[in-house]
Amino acid sequence: DAGVTQSPTHLIKTRGQQVTLRCSPKSGHDTVSWYQQALGQGPQFIFQYYEEEERQRGNFPDRFSGHQFPNYSSELNVNALLLGDSALYLCASSPRIGFTEAFFGQGTRLTVV
Amino acid sequence: KQEVTQIPAALSVPEGENLVLNCSFTDSAIYNLQWFRQDPGKGLTSLLLIQSSQREQTSGRLNASLDKSSGRSTLYIAASQPGDSATYLCAGSPWGSSASKIIFGSGTRLSIRP
């Protein structure tokens, strides 16, 4: 079992550009959540997907959007990048039902210059 | 709104000491409490999961406890080693959400001196 995998591992973008990050959940998991972690802070919840729809959303602007595919993998899109979007982006997966733990990927380090 | 607070923000101790990391949350309406480890620039590694009906979990030199009535959790690390140096994050899953929606504290940065 490969666990949760994210790609790419590192990314450098210019202010104003758009970026897409990808996540494959752990085998057997149908729910994916995305987090933004700024330096020295705990991860902040962006949104959660299951059954190919956004189900919950944290306090992030509409520039942050996502998608979930039939195979449960997910994408995070960020438009009109700002310098403040530079962070580690983490993906977590879990089964939708059941009080189990969440598993995290190794993250994508996004740098906006 | 659920908030998670971790104290202290940073801790440096000599190797071999036993230590306690603290976590408090404002709303007892959580069903999971997880402790994670994060090495610099890396993702999160789950250390211990305490489910709502449980009071503590143990794994090797680690022991985590949960007191929902007081809104507190502690992570106890026995016989600390330099390899334990990392940031430790406490996180709770609110009722009504699936397990991958988690509210995190800002972490305790632990340094173990050889």
Side-chain angles (χ1 to χ4, degrees):
Chain A
D1 183 2
V4 181
T5 58
Q6 292 187 242
S7 63
T9 55
H10 296 85
L11 204 52
I12 299 175
K13 289 288 189 177
T14 302
R15 190 171 45 183
Q17 285 188 316
Q18 179 263 345
V19 69
T20 298
L21 311 181
R22 295 176 177 81
C23 172
S24 293
K26 181 177 170 63
S27 178
H29 288 184
D30 58 0
T31 300
V32 173
S33 296
W34 287 91
Y35 293 80
Q36 180 195 67
Q37 186 179 24
L39 203 61
Q41 301 295 317
Q44 298 294 312
F45 175 74
I46 302 175
F47 44 51
Q48 182 180 79
Y49 276 82
Y50 61 84
E51 295 180 349
E52 303 179 44
E53 291 191 18
E54 182 183 300
R55 300 295 180 172
Q56 296 191 63
R57 190 180 183 92
N59 188 25
F60 280 81
D62 292 345
R63 297 187 298 109
F64 290 78
S65 63
H67 189 76
Q68 186 179 36
F69 299 93
N71 66 353
Y72 309 125
S73 66
S74 177
E75 290 182 346
L76 165 65
N77 301 293
V78 187
N79 294 321
L81 285 166
L82 304 174
L83 297 179
D85 295 331
S86 295
L88 180 67
Y89 288 84
L90 295 162
C91 169
S93 75
S94 69
R96 184 166 70 86
I97 297 172
F99 304 134
T100 63
E101 63 187 301
F103 289 82
F104 280 78
Q106 288 302 298
T108 295
R109 171 69 63 186
L110 172 66
T111 303
V112 182
V113 298
Chain B
K1 177 186 173 186
Q2 178 71 269
E3 292 186 0
V4 179
T5 303
Q6 292 188 246
I7 295 174
L11 183 62
S12 179
V13 301
E15 180 178 3
E17 279 202 6
N18 302 324
L19 55 99
V20 175
L21 307 182
N22 295 294
C23 171
S24 62
F25 42 95
T26 55
D27 186 347
S28 62
I30 62 168
Y31 63 85
N32 278 352
L33 192 291
Q34 277 186 265
W35 283 91
F36 293 89
R37 170 184 172 139
Q38 186 174 35
D39 293 292
K42 303 297 186 182
L44 305 181
T45 300
S46 180
L47 297 174
L48 290 165
L49 167 71
I50 308 176
Q51 296 181 326
S52 184
S53 60
Q54 300 171 327
R55 293 187 62 83
E56 68 175 325
Q57 284 288 332
T58 298
S59 176
R61 294 182 294 109
L62 305 180
N63 175 275
S65 65
L66 173 63
D67 184 345
K68 291 184 67 179
S69 63
S70 66
R72 295 180 185 275
S73 177
T74 61
L75 178 66
Y76 175 82
I77 302 177
S80 58
Q81 303 170 358
D84 295 331
S85 298
T87 295
Y88 290 80
L89 293 157
C90 166
S93 299
W95 281 102
S97 302
S98 71
S100 67
K101 181 186 177 182
I102 300 176
I103 309 300
F104 283 88
S106 54
T108 294
R109 191 172 63 254
L110 177 63
S111 175
I112 307 299
R113 306 189 300 270

